[in-house]
Amino acid sequence: MDYIKAFVVGGLICVVVQIVMDNTKLMPGRIMVGLVCLGALLGAVGLYEPFSKWAGAGATVPLSGFGNNLFKGVKEAVDKEGWIGIFKGGFTAASAGLSAAIVFAYIASWFFKDKMKK
């Protein structure tokens, strides 16, 4: 049941984002930044944590989950180290995911050629 819930919640988040992309003139990059900021904002007001516990990977995998992860890292670092945690916390919390994305993107570049238009 957890897999179905994660699939449905993640799919609904993607549907909402697709509707926003289709019905506004916002560029995809701005929508992605908005999702990260929305996740951080919902984490700051205490709404994202219960939602992510209920929805599982359906809430933690999308970009809003990344924003919440950044917020949690900054909050923990500020509580532990003071104001310098503002700069360190997000990097510490997201380092594993970002490192994996870089490594796997590099490996994928060995097998696929870019298709840039000239």
Side-chain angles (χ1 to χ4, degrees):
M1 190 64 180
D2 290 338
Y3 295 119
I4 293 170
K5 192 186 313 180
F7 177 78
V8 170
V9 171
L12 287 174
I13 291 171
C14 292
V15 165
V16 169
V17 171
Q18 189 64 51
I19 289 170
V20 170
M21 288 177 73
D22 290 345
N23 294 315
T24 65
K25 293 184 179 187
L26 291 173
M27 301 297 289
R30 291 180 185 220
I31 293 171
M32 290 191 303
V33 168
L35 282 171
V36 172
C37 292
L38 180 65
L41 180 66
L42 290 174
V45 296
L47 296 175
Y48 207 86
E49 192 65 31
F51 174 62
S52 66
K53 285 184 180 178
W54 175 79
T60 57
V61 171
L63 284 174
S64 53
F66 177 69
N68 182 52
N69 190 28
L70 289 176
F71 168 75
K72 286 192 316 187
V74 169
K75 183 179 177 205
E76 289 172 9
V78 167
D79 291 343
K80 191 183 292 183
E81 302 176 34
W83 67 271
I84 195 72
I86 294 171
F87 304 105
K88 294 170 60 176
F91 291 112
T92 304
S95 61
L98 291 174
S99 298
I102 291 168
V103 168
F104 291 125
Y106 181 67
I107 291 170
S109 73
W110 294 343
F111 300 103
F112 302 101
K113 301 292 179 205
D114 63 353
K115 295 182 180 176
M116 297 288 290
K117 292 184 179 181
K118 295 180 182 185

PDB file of all heavy atoms in Angstrom, residues 6 9-14 16-17 30-44 47-49 51-52 55-72 94:
ATOM      1  N   ALA A   6       2.671   6.326  -2.488  1.00  0.00           N
ATOM      2  CA  ALA A   6       3.780   7.139  -2.998  1.00  0.00           C
ATOM      3  C   ALA A   6       3.589   7.443  -4.477  1.00  0.00           C
ATOM      4  O   ALA A   6       3.824   8.573  -4.925  1.00  0.00           O
ATOM      5  CB  ALA A   6       5.103   6.421  -2.773  1.00  0.00           C
ATOM      6  N   VAL A   9       0.603  10.058  -4.802  1.00  0.00           N
ATOM      7  CA  VAL A   9       0.963  11.401  -4.327  1.00  0.00           C
ATOM      8  C   VAL A   9       2.000  12.044  -5.239  1.00  0.00           C
ATOM      9  O   VAL A   9       1.850  13.202  -5.642  1.00  0.00           O
ATOM     10  CB  VAL A   9       1.467  11.347  -2.868  1.00  0.00           C
ATOM     11  CG1 VAL A   9       2.046  12.685  -2.437  1.00  0.00           C
ATOM     12  CG2 VAL A   9       0.342  10.949  -1.942  1.00  0.00           C
ATOM     13  N   GLY A  10       3.045  11.292  -5.597  1.00  0.00           N
ATOM     14  CA  GLY A  10       4.047  11.834  -6.521  1.00  0.00           C
ATOM     15  C   GLY A  10       3.434  12.176  -7.864  1.00  0.00           C
ATOM     16  O   GLY A  10       3.751  13.203  -8.477  1.00  0.00           O
ATOM     17  N   GLY A  11       2.533  11.329  -8.341  1.00  0.00           N
ATOM     18  CA  GLY A  11       1.850  11.599  -9.603  1.00  0.00           C
ATOM     19  C   GLY A  11       0.985  12.835  -9.536  1.00  0.00           C
ATOM     20  O   GLY A  11       0.940  13.624 -10.489  1.00  0.00           O
ATOM     21  N   LEU A  12       0.289  13.030  -8.419  1.00  0.00           N
ATOM     22  CA  LEU A  12      -0.538  14.229  -8.278  1.00  0.00           C
ATOM     23  C   LEU A  12       0.299  15.495  -8.244  1.00  0.00           C
ATOM     24  O   LEU A  12      -0.092  16.518  -8.818  1.00  0.00           O
ATOM     25  CB  LEU A  12      -1.394  14.123  -7.015  1.00  0.00           C
ATOM     26  CG  LEU A  12      -2.567  13.146  -7.092  1.00  0.00           C
ATOM     27  CD1 LEU A  12      -3.252  13.018  -5.738  1.00  0.00           C
ATOM     28  CD2 LEU A  12      -3.557  13.570  -8.155  1.00  0.00           C
ATOM     29  N   ILE A  13       1.440  15.432  -7.590  1.00  0.00           N
ATOM     30  CA  ILE A  13       2.339  16.593  -7.593  1.00  0.00           C
ATOM     31  C   ILE A  13       2.780  16.897  -9.025  1.00  0.00           C
ATOM     32  O   ILE A  13       2.769  18.055  -9.461  1.00  0.00           O
ATOM     33  CB  ILE A  13       3.553  16.356  -6.663  1.00  0.00           C
ATOM     34  CG1 ILE A  13       3.098  16.332  -5.209  1.00  0.00           C
ATOM     35  CG2 ILE A  13       4.622  17.430  -6.872  1.00  0.00           C
ATOM     36  CD1 ILE A  13       4.173  15.903  -4.223  1.00  0.00           C
ATOM     37  N   CYS A  14       3.125  15.864  -9.768  1.00  0.00           N
ATOM     38  CA  CYS A  14       3.537  16.057 -11.158  1.00  0.00           C
ATOM     39  C   CYS A  14       2.395  16.585 -12.022  1.00  0.00           C
ATOM     40  O   CYS A  14       2.611  17.413 -12.908  1.00  0.00           O
ATOM     41  CB  CYS A  14       4.069  14.754 -11.733  1.00  0.00           C
ATOM     42  SG  CYS A  14       5.622  14.232 -11.000  1.00  0.00           S
ATOM     43  N   VAL A  16      -0.116  18.504 -11.021  1.00  0.00           N
ATOM     44  CA  VAL A  16      -0.295  19.916 -10.679  1.00  0.00           C
ATOM     45  C   VAL A  16       0.774  20.766 -11.365  1.00  0.00           C
ATOM     46  O   VAL A  16       0.481  21.822 -11.945  1.00  0.00           O
ATOM     47  CB  VAL A  16      -0.281  20.133  -9.149  1.00  0.00           C
ATOM     48  CG1 VAL A  16      -0.195  21.602  -8.788  1.00  0.00           C
ATOM     49  CG2 VAL A  16      -1.496  19.485  -8.522  1.00  0.00           C
ATOM     50  N   VAL A  17       2.017  20.299 -11.332  1.00  0.00           N
ATOM     51  CA  VAL A  17       3.106  21.044 -11.971  1.00  0.00           C
ATOM     52  C   VAL A  17       2.884  21.111 -13.485  1.00  0.00           C
ATOM     53  O   VAL A  17       3.100  22.153 -14.111  1.00  0.00           O
ATOM     54  CB  VAL A  17       4.470  20.418 -11.623  1.00  0.00           C
ATOM     55  CG1 VAL A  17       5.577  21.032 -12.454  1.00  0.00           C
ATOM     56  CG2 VAL A  17       4.758  20.598 -10.150  1.00  0.00           C
ATOM     57  N   ARG A  30      11.810  28.330 -13.472  1.00  0.00           N
ATOM     58  CA  ARG A  30      11.146  29.103 -12.419  1.00  0.00           C
ATOM     59  C   ARG A  30      10.150  28.247 -11.647  1.00  0.00           C
ATOM     60  O   ARG A  30       9.985  28.404 -10.440  1.00  0.00           O
ATOM     61  CB  ARG A  30      10.444  30.316 -13.013  1.00  0.00           C
ATOM     62  CG  ARG A  30      11.441  31.328 -13.519  1.00  0.00           C
ATOM     63  CD  ARG A  30      10.783  32.528 -14.120  1.00  0.00           C
ATOM     64  NE  ARG A  30      11.813  33.372 -14.683  1.00  0.00           N
ATOM     65  CZ  ARG A  30      11.804  34.681 -14.603  1.00  0.00           C
ATOM     66  NH1 ARG A  30      10.821  35.285 -13.989  1.00  0.00           N
ATOM     67  NH2 ARG A  30      12.773  35.370 -15.139  1.00  0.00           N
ATOM     68  N   ILE A  31       9.492  27.340 -12.341  1.00  0.00           N
ATOM     69  CA  ILE A  31       8.562  26.440 -11.665  1.00  0.00           C
ATOM     70  C   ILE A  31       9.325  25.518 -10.721  1.00  0.00           C
ATOM     71  O   ILE A  31       8.888  25.267  -9.590  1.00  0.00           O
ATOM     72  CB  ILE A  31       7.737  25.653 -12.697  1.00  0.00           C
ATOM     73  CG1 ILE A  31       6.820  26.608 -13.456  1.00  0.00           C
ATOM     74  CG2 ILE A  31       6.927  24.550 -12.021  1.00  0.00           C
ATOM     75  CD1 ILE A  31       6.101  25.999 -14.636  1.00  0.00           C
ATOM     76  N   MET A  32      10.475  25.034 -11.155  1.00  0.00           N
ATOM     77  CA  MET A  32      11.273  24.161 -10.291  1.00  0.00           C
ATOM     78  C   MET A  32      11.765  24.906  -9.060  1.00  0.00           C
ATOM     79  O   MET A  32      11.725  24.374  -7.945  1.00  0.00           O
ATOM     80  CB  MET A  32      12.441  23.568 -11.080  1.00  0.00           C
ATOM     81  CG  MET A  32      11.990  22.566 -12.110  1.00  0.00           C
ATOM     82  SD  MET A  32      13.290  21.591 -12.873  1.00  0.00           S
ATOM     83  CE  MET A  32      14.364  22.807 -13.552  1.00  0.00           C
ATOM     84  N   VAL A  33      12.212  26.134  -9.237  1.00  0.00           N
ATOM     85  CA  VAL A  33      12.637  26.945  -8.089  1.00  0.00           C
ATOM     86  C   VAL A  33      11.449  27.189  -7.160  1.00  0.00           C
ATOM     87  O   VAL A  33      11.575  27.138  -5.938  1.00  0.00           O
ATOM     88  CB  VAL A  33      13.265  28.277  -8.560  1.00  0.00           C
ATOM     89  CG1 VAL A  33      13.435  29.250  -7.412  1.00  0.00           C
ATOM     90  CG2 VAL A  33      14.593  28.019  -9.243  1.00  0.00           C
ATOM     91  N   GLY A  34      10.285  27.420  -7.739  1.00  0.00           N
ATOM     92  CA  GLY A  34       9.082  27.600  -6.935  1.00  0.00           C
ATOM     93  C   GLY A  34       8.750  26.369  -6.111  1.00  0.00           C
ATOM     94  O   GLY A  34       8.333  26.481  -4.950  1.00  0.00           O
ATOM     95  N   LEU A  35       8.937  25.177  -6.686  1.00  0.00           N
ATOM     96  CA  LEU A  35       8.690  23.946  -5.941  1.00  0.00           C
ATOM     97  C   LEU A  35       9.652  23.792  -4.776  1.00  0.00           C
ATOM     98  O   LEU A  35       9.255  23.391  -3.679  1.00  0.00           O
ATOM     99  CB  LEU A  35       8.809  22.738  -6.867  1.00  0.00           C
ATOM    100  CG  LEU A  35       7.631  22.465  -7.782  1.00  0.00           C
ATOM    101  CD1 LEU A  35       7.987  21.381  -8.793  1.00  0.00           C
ATOM    102  CD2 LEU A  35       6.417  22.068  -6.978  1.00  0.00           C
ATOM    103  N   VAL A  36      10.915  24.108  -4.998  1.00  0.00           N
ATOM    104  CA  VAL A  36      11.902  24.021  -3.918  1.00  0.00           C
ATOM    105  C   VAL A  36      11.544  25.020  -2.813  1.00  0.00           C
ATOM    106  O   VAL A  36      11.551  24.671  -1.627  1.00  0.00           O
ATOM    107  CB  VAL A  36      13.331  24.264  -4.452  1.00  0.00           C
ATOM    108  CG1 VAL A  36      14.325  24.364  -3.312  1.00  0.00           C
ATOM    109  CG2 VAL A  36      13.732  23.157  -5.420  1.00  0.00           C
ATOM    110  N   CYS A  37      11.200  26.233  -3.197  1.00  0.00           N
ATOM    111  CA  CYS A  37      10.826  27.250  -2.199  1.00  0.00           C
ATOM    112  C   CYS A  37       9.544  26.862  -1.473  1.00  0.00           C
ATOM    113  O   CYS A  37       9.428  27.068  -0.263  1.00  0.00           O
ATOM    114  CB  CYS A  37      10.666  28.607  -2.873  1.00  0.00           C
ATOM    115  SG  CYS A  37      12.217  29.285  -3.486  1.00  0.00           S
ATOM    116  N   LEU A  38       8.577  26.289  -2.201  1.00  0.00           N
ATOM    117  CA  LEU A  38       7.333  25.853  -1.570  1.00  0.00           C
ATOM    118  C   LEU A  38       7.599  24.754  -0.547  1.00  0.00           C
ATOM    119  O   LEU A  38       7.044  24.771   0.553  1.00  0.00           O
ATOM    120  CB  LEU A  38       6.344  25.365  -2.624  1.00  0.00           C
ATOM    121  CG  LEU A  38       5.001  24.872  -2.108  1.00  0.00           C
ATOM    122  CD1 LEU A  38       4.229  26.019  -1.471  1.00  0.00           C
ATOM    123  CD2 LEU A  38       4.199  24.254  -3.243  1.00  0.00           C
ATOM    124  N   GLY A  39       8.464  23.819  -0.887  1.00  0.00           N
ATOM    125  CA  GLY A  39       8.820  22.765   0.058  1.00  0.00           C
ATOM    126  C   GLY A  39       9.490  23.316   1.298  1.00  0.00           C
ATOM    127  O   GLY A  39       9.204  22.884   2.422  1.00  0.00           O
ATOM    128  N   ALA A  40      10.391  24.284   1.118  1.00  0.00           N
ATOM    129  CA  ALA A  40      11.059  24.900   2.271  1.00  0.00           C
ATOM    130  C   ALA A  40      10.063  25.689   3.114  1.00  0.00           C
ATOM    131  O   ALA A  40      10.102  25.628   4.354  1.00  0.00           O
ATOM    132  CB  ALA A  40      12.185  25.812   1.789  1.00  0.00           C
ATOM    133  N   LEU A  41       9.161  26.401   2.469  1.00  0.00           N
ATOM    134  CA  LEU A  41       8.163  27.184   3.194  1.00  0.00           C
ATOM    135  C   LEU A  41       7.211  26.275   3.971  1.00  0.00           C
ATOM    136  O   LEU A  41       6.920  26.523   5.151  1.00  0.00           O
ATOM    137  CB  LEU A  41       7.374  28.059   2.221  1.00  0.00           C
ATOM    138  CG  LEU A  41       6.300  28.943   2.828  1.00  0.00           C
ATOM    139  CD1 LEU A  41       6.930  30.000   3.720  1.00  0.00           C
ATOM    140  CD2 LEU A  41       5.476  29.590   1.744  1.00  0.00           C
ATOM    141  N   LEU A  42       6.739  25.213   3.332  1.00  0.00           N
ATOM    142  CA  LEU A  42       5.852  24.275   4.025  1.00  0.00           C
ATOM    143  C   LEU A  42       6.576  23.573   5.165  1.00  0.00           C
ATOM    144  O   LEU A  42       5.971  23.257   6.193  1.00  0.00           O
ATOM    145  CB  LEU A  42       5.271  23.253   3.044  1.00  0.00           C
ATOM    146  CG  LEU A  42       4.254  23.796   2.045  1.00  0.00           C
ATOM    147  CD1 LEU A  42       3.866  22.720   1.048  1.00  0.00           C
ATOM    148  CD2 LEU A  42       3.041  24.358   2.736  1.00  0.00           C
ATOM    149  N   GLY A  43       7.872  23.326   4.990  1.00  0.00           N
ATOM    150  CA  GLY A  43       8.661  22.758   6.083  1.00  0.00           C
ATOM    151  C   GLY A  43       8.806  23.733   7.235  1.00  0.00           C
ATOM    152  O   GLY A  43       8.755  23.346   8.402  1.00  0.00           O
ATOM    153  N   ALA A  44       8.964  25.010   6.910  1.00  0.00           N
ATOM    154  CA  ALA A  44       9.141  26.027   7.947  1.00  0.00           C
ATOM    155  C   ALA A  44       7.892  26.194   8.801  1.00  0.00           C
ATOM    156  O   ALA A  44       7.991  26.443  10.007  1.00  0.00           O
ATOM    157  CB  ALA A  44       9.526  27.361   7.313  1.00  0.00           C
ATOM    158  N   LEU A  47       4.193  21.929   7.985  1.00  0.00           N
ATOM    159  CA  LEU A  47       3.211  21.131   7.251  1.00  0.00           C
ATOM    160  C   LEU A  47       3.832  20.014   6.425  1.00  0.00           C
ATOM    161  O   LEU A  47       3.182  18.998   6.167  1.00  0.00           O
ATOM    162  CB  LEU A  47       2.377  22.034   6.336  1.00  0.00           C
ATOM    163  CG  LEU A  47       1.503  23.067   7.038  1.00  0.00           C
ATOM    164  CD1 LEU A  47       0.824  23.971   6.017  1.00  0.00           C
ATOM    165  CD2 LEU A  47       0.480  22.383   7.911  1.00  0.00           C
ATOM    166  N   TYR A  48       5.067  20.195   5.986  1.00  0.00           N
ATOM    167  CA  TYR A  48       5.634  19.214   5.056  1.00  0.00           C
ATOM    168  C   TYR A  48       6.062  17.931   5.749  1.00  0.00           C
ATOM    169  O   TYR A  48       5.955  16.854   5.166  1.00  0.00           O
ATOM    170  CB  TYR A  48       6.817  19.808   4.282  1.00  0.00           C
ATOM    171  CG  TYR A  48       6.998  19.140   2.944  1.00  0.00           C
ATOM    172  CD1 TYR A  48       6.285  19.584   1.849  1.00  0.00           C
ATOM    173  CD2 TYR A  48       7.833  18.043   2.780  1.00  0.00           C
ATOM    174  CE1 TYR A  48       6.418  18.962   0.628  1.00  0.00           C
ATOM    175  CE2 TYR A  48       7.957  17.416   1.569  1.00  0.00           C
ATOM    176  CZ  TYR A  48       7.249  17.881   0.485  1.00  0.00           C
ATOM    177  OH  TYR A  48       7.359  17.258  -0.722  1.00  0.00           O
ATOM    178  N   GLU A  49       6.531  18.014   6.972  1.00  0.00           N
ATOM    179  CA  GLU A  49       7.000  16.813   7.680  1.00  0.00           C
ATOM    180  C   GLU A  49       5.883  15.787   7.884  1.00  0.00           C
ATOM    181  O   GLU A  49       6.065  14.614   7.544  1.00  0.00           O
ATOM    182  CB  GLU A  49       7.639  17.202   9.011  1.00  0.00           C
ATOM    183  CG  GLU A  49       8.394  16.087   9.663  1.00  0.00           C
ATOM    184  CD  GLU A  49       9.609  15.646   8.871  1.00  0.00           C
ATOM    185  OE1 GLU A  49      10.215  16.476   8.183  1.00  0.00           O
ATOM    186  OE2 GLU A  49       9.941  14.445   8.945  1.00  0.00           O
ATOM    187  N   PHE A  51       3.152  15.538   6.169  1.00  0.00           N
ATOM    188  CA  PHE A  51       2.767  15.121   4.818  1.00  0.00           C
ATOM    189  C   PHE A  51       3.751  14.102   4.261  1.00  0.00           C
ATOM    190  O   PHE A  51       3.351  13.087   3.692  1.00  0.00           O
ATOM    191  CB  PHE A  51       2.682  16.352   3.907  1.00  0.00           C
ATOM    192  CG  PHE A  51       2.429  16.040   2.465  1.00  0.00           C
ATOM    193  CD1 PHE A  51       1.268  15.398   2.073  1.00  0.00           C
ATOM    194  CD2 PHE A  51       3.360  16.383   1.497  1.00  0.00           C
ATOM    195  CE1 PHE A  51       1.033  15.111   0.734  1.00  0.00           C
ATOM    196  CE2 PHE A  51       3.138  16.094   0.170  1.00  0.00           C
ATOM    197  CZ  PHE A  51       1.976  15.454  -0.217  1.00  0.00           C
ATOM    198  N   SER A  52       5.046  14.329   4.446  1.00  0.00           N
ATOM    199  CA  SER A  52       6.042  13.400   3.912  1.00  0.00           C
ATOM    200  C   SER A  52       6.048  12.078   4.680  1.00  0.00           C
ATOM    201  O   SER A  52       6.336  11.032   4.094  1.00  0.00           O
ATOM    202  CB  SER A  52       7.431  14.027   3.901  1.00  0.00           C
ATOM    203  OG  SER A  52       7.888  14.251   5.202  1.00  0.00           O
ATOM    204  N   ALA A  55       2.933  10.364   3.093  1.00  0.00           N
ATOM    205  CA  ALA A  55       3.037  10.040   1.669  1.00  0.00           C
ATOM    206  C   ALA A  55       4.307   9.281   1.314  1.00  0.00           C
ATOM    207  O   ALA A  55       4.399   8.719   0.225  1.00  0.00           O
ATOM    208  CB  ALA A  55       2.959  11.327   0.843  1.00  0.00           C
ATOM    209  N   GLY A  56       5.295   9.275   2.168  1.00  0.00           N
ATOM    210  CA  GLY A  56       6.541   8.560   1.877  1.00  0.00           C
ATOM    211  C   GLY A  56       7.299   9.168   0.707  1.00  0.00           C
ATOM    212  O   GLY A  56       7.414  10.388   0.590  1.00  0.00           O
ATOM    213  N   ALA A  57       7.800   8.312  -0.166  1.00  0.00           N
ATOM    214  CA  ALA A  57       8.620   8.759  -1.286  1.00  0.00           C
ATOM    215  C   ALA A  57       7.850   9.641  -2.261  1.00  0.00           C
ATOM    216  O   ALA A  57       8.442  10.412  -3.006  1.00  0.00           O
ATOM    217  CB  ALA A  57       9.208   7.563  -2.026  1.00  0.00           C
ATOM    218  N   GLY A  58       6.536   9.557  -2.257  1.00  0.00           N
ATOM    219  CA  GLY A  58       5.739  10.426  -3.123  1.00  0.00           C
ATOM    220  C   GLY A  58       5.893  11.890  -2.781  1.00  0.00           C
ATOM    221  O   GLY A  58       5.670  12.756  -3.620  1.00  0.00           O
ATOM    222  N   ALA A  59       6.280  12.182  -1.559  1.00  0.00           N
ATOM    223  CA  ALA A  59       6.478  13.569  -1.138  1.00  0.00           C
ATOM    224  C   ALA A  59       7.944  13.932  -0.996  1.00  0.00           C
ATOM    225  O   ALA A  59       8.304  15.098  -1.089  1.00  0.00           O
ATOM    226  CB  ALA A  59       5.766  13.815   0.187  1.00  0.00           C
ATOM    227  N   THR A  60       8.813  12.950  -0.757  1.00  0.00           N
ATOM    228  CA  THR A  60      10.213  13.284  -0.527  1.00  0.00           C
ATOM    229  C   THR A  60      11.041  13.313  -1.805  1.00  0.00           C
ATOM    230  O   THR A  60      12.068  13.967  -1.843  1.00  0.00           O
ATOM    231  CB  THR A  60      10.856  12.293   0.459  1.00  0.00           C
ATOM    232  OG1 THR A  60      10.725  10.966  -0.051  1.00  0.00           O
ATOM    233  CG2 THR A  60      10.211  12.382   1.829  1.00  0.00           C
ATOM    234  N   VAL A  61      10.605  12.635  -2.842  1.00  0.00           N
ATOM    235  CA  VAL A  61      11.382  12.582  -4.078  1.00  0.00           C
ATOM    236  C   VAL A  61      11.220  13.835  -4.944  1.00  0.00           C
ATOM    237  O   VAL A  61      12.199  14.319  -5.494  1.00  0.00           O
ATOM    238  CB  VAL A  61      11.058  11.295  -4.871  1.00  0.00           C
ATOM    239  CG1 VAL A  61      11.677  11.314  -6.254  1.00  0.00           C
ATOM    240  CG2 VAL A  61      11.530  10.075  -4.096  1.00  0.00           C
ATOM    241  N   PRO A  62      10.019  14.414  -5.090  1.00  0.00           N
ATOM    242  CA  PRO A  62       9.899  15.619  -5.930  1.00  0.00           C
ATOM    243  C   PRO A  62      10.702  16.794  -5.380  1.00  0.00           C
ATOM    244  O   PRO A  62      11.203  16.756  -4.258  1.00  0.00           O
ATOM    245  CB  PRO A  62       8.403  15.923  -5.904  1.00  0.00           C
ATOM    246  CG  PRO A  62       7.747  14.655  -5.538  1.00  0.00           C
ATOM    247  CD  PRO A  62       8.713  13.948  -4.634  1.00  0.00           C
ATOM    248  N   LEU A  63      10.788  17.836  -6.164  1.00  0.00           N
ATOM    249  CA  LEU A  63      11.585  19.001  -5.775  1.00  0.00           C
ATOM    250  C   LEU A  63      11.093  19.673  -4.498  1.00  0.00           C
ATOM    251  O   LEU A  63      11.890  20.270  -3.769  1.00  0.00           O
ATOM    252  CB  LEU A  63      11.611  20.023  -6.909  1.00  0.00           C
ATOM    253  CG  LEU A  63      12.534  19.658  -8.061  1.00  0.00           C
ATOM    254  CD1 LEU A  63      12.376  20.644  -9.200  1.00  0.00           C
ATOM    255  CD2 LEU A  63      13.969  19.609  -7.603  1.00  0.00           C
ATOM    256  N   SER A  64       9.825  19.574  -4.212  1.00  0.00           N
ATOM    257  CA  SER A  64       9.341  20.148  -2.961  1.00  0.00           C
ATOM    258  C   SER A  64       9.965  19.416  -1.766  1.00  0.00           C
ATOM    259  O   SER A  64      10.257  20.032  -0.738  1.00  0.00           O
ATOM    260  CB  SER A  64       7.814  20.080  -2.899  1.00  0.00           C
ATOM    261  OG  SER A  64       7.363  18.759  -3.148  1.00  0.00           O
ATOM    262  N   GLY A  65      10.200  18.125  -1.902  1.00  0.00           N
ATOM    263  CA  GLY A  65      10.893  17.370  -0.856  1.00  0.00           C
ATOM    264  C   GLY A  65      12.334  17.814  -0.703  1.00  0.00           C
ATOM    265  O   GLY A  65      12.880  17.831   0.404  1.00  0.00           O
ATOM    266  N   PHE A  66      12.965  18.176  -1.818  1.00  0.00           N
ATOM    267  CA  PHE A  66      14.329  18.705  -1.773  1.00  0.00           C
ATOM    268  C   PHE A  66      14.365  20.024  -1.001  1.00  0.00           C
ATOM    269  O   PHE A  66      15.257  20.250  -0.179  1.00  0.00           O
ATOM    270  CB  PHE A  66      14.864  18.881  -3.192  1.00  0.00           C
ATOM    271  CG  PHE A  66      16.235  19.476  -3.261  1.00  0.00           C
ATOM    272  CD1 PHE A  66      17.337  18.762  -2.827  1.00  0.00           C
ATOM    273  CD2 PHE A  66      16.425  20.744  -3.773  1.00  0.00           C
ATOM    274  CE1 PHE A  66      18.609  19.308  -2.893  1.00  0.00           C
ATOM    275  CE2 PHE A  66      17.689  21.292  -3.847  1.00  0.00           C
ATOM    276  CZ  PHE A  66      18.786  20.574  -3.407  1.00  0.00           C
ATOM    277  N   GLY A  67      13.387  20.882  -1.249  1.00  0.00           N
ATOM    278  CA  GLY A  67      13.321  22.148  -0.520  1.00  0.00           C
ATOM    279  C   GLY A  67      13.124  21.930   0.963  1.00  0.00           C
ATOM    280  O   GLY A  67      13.743  22.601   1.790  1.00  0.00           O
ATOM    281  N   ASN A  68      12.266  20.976   1.312  1.00  0.00           N
ATOM    282  CA  ASN A  68      12.061  20.655   2.720  1.00  0.00           C
ATOM    283  C   ASN A  68      13.342  20.109   3.338  1.00  0.00           C
ATOM    284  O   ASN A  68      13.688  20.443   4.470  1.00  0.00           O
ATOM    285  CB  ASN A  68      10.922  19.647   2.868  1.00  0.00           C
ATOM    286  CG  ASN A  68      10.638  19.318   4.300  1.00  0.00           C
ATOM    287  OD1 ASN A  68      10.439  20.197   5.126  1.00  0.00           O
ATOM    288  ND2 ASN A  68      10.639  18.041   4.617  1.00  0.00           N
ATOM    289  N   ASN A  69      14.059  19.278   2.604  1.00  0.00           N
ATOM    290  CA  ASN A  69      15.325  18.725   3.082  1.00  0.00           C
ATOM    291  C   ASN A  69      16.345  19.845   3.329  1.00  0.00           C
ATOM    292  O   ASN A  69      17.060  19.833   4.340  1.00  0.00           O
ATOM    293  CB  ASN A  69      15.870  17.718   2.073  1.00  0.00           C
ATOM    294  CG  ASN A  69      17.033  16.932   2.602  1.00  0.00           C
ATOM    295  OD1 ASN A  69      17.159  16.722   3.796  1.00  0.00           O
ATOM    296  ND2 ASN A  69      17.890  16.492   1.699  1.00  0.00           N
ATOM    297  N   LEU A  70      16.410  20.807   2.425  1.00  0.00           N
ATOM    298  CA  LEU A  70      17.313  21.945   2.626  1.00  0.00           C
ATOM    299  C   LEU A  70      16.938  22.722   3.888  1.00  0.00           C
ATOM    300  O   LEU A  70      17.804  23.093   4.683  1.00  0.00           O
ATOM    301  CB  LEU A  70      17.269  22.880   1.420  1.00  0.00           C
ATOM    302  CG  LEU A  70      17.916  22.385   0.137  1.00  0.00           C
ATOM    303  CD1 LEU A  70      17.685  23.394  -0.979  1.00  0.00           C
ATOM    304  CD2 LEU A  70      19.390  22.132   0.334  1.00  0.00           C
ATOM    305  N   PHE A  71      15.635  22.958   4.068  1.00  0.00           N
ATOM    306  CA  PHE A  71      15.199  23.692   5.253  1.00  0.00           C
ATOM    307  C   PHE A  71      15.563  22.947   6.530  1.00  0.00           C
ATOM    308  O   PHE A  71      16.056  23.551   7.488  1.00  0.00           O
ATOM    309  CB  PHE A  71      13.689  23.952   5.210  1.00  0.00           C
ATOM    310  CG  PHE A  71      13.160  24.440   6.523  1.00  0.00           C
ATOM    311  CD1 PHE A  71      13.389  25.739   6.926  1.00  0.00           C
ATOM    312  CD2 PHE A  71      12.477  23.592   7.370  1.00  0.00           C
ATOM    313  CE1 PHE A  71      12.936  26.191   8.154  1.00  0.00           C
ATOM    314  CE2 PHE A  71      12.019  24.029   8.606  1.00  0.00           C
ATOM    315  CZ  PHE A  71      12.250  25.331   8.983  1.00  0.00           C
ATOM    316  N   LYS A  72      15.297  21.642   6.567  1.00  0.00           N
ATOM    317  CA  LYS A  72      15.623  20.863   7.763  1.00  0.00           C
ATOM    318  C   LYS A  72      17.115  20.918   8.065  1.00  0.00           C
ATOM    319  O   LYS A  72      17.519  21.035   9.224  1.00  0.00           O
ATOM    320  CB  LYS A  72      15.184  19.405   7.599  1.00  0.00           C
ATOM    321  CG  LYS A  72      13.696  19.212   7.702  1.00  0.00           C
ATOM    322  CD  LYS A  72      13.276  17.755   7.826  1.00  0.00           C
ATOM    323  CE  LYS A  72      13.985  16.819   6.912  1.00  0.00           C
ATOM    324  NZ  LYS A  72      13.468  15.455   6.915  1.00  0.00           N
ATOM    325  N   ALA A  94      21.862  18.074   1.826  1.00  0.00           N
ATOM    326  CA  ALA A  94      21.605  17.654   0.452  1.00  0.00           C
ATOM    327  C   ALA A  94      22.822  17.047  -0.232  1.00  0.00           C
ATOM    328  O   ALA A  94      22.754  16.697  -1.409  1.00  0.00           O
ATOM    329  CB  ALA A  94      21.112  18.856  -0.351  1.00  0.00           C
TER     330      ALA A  94
END
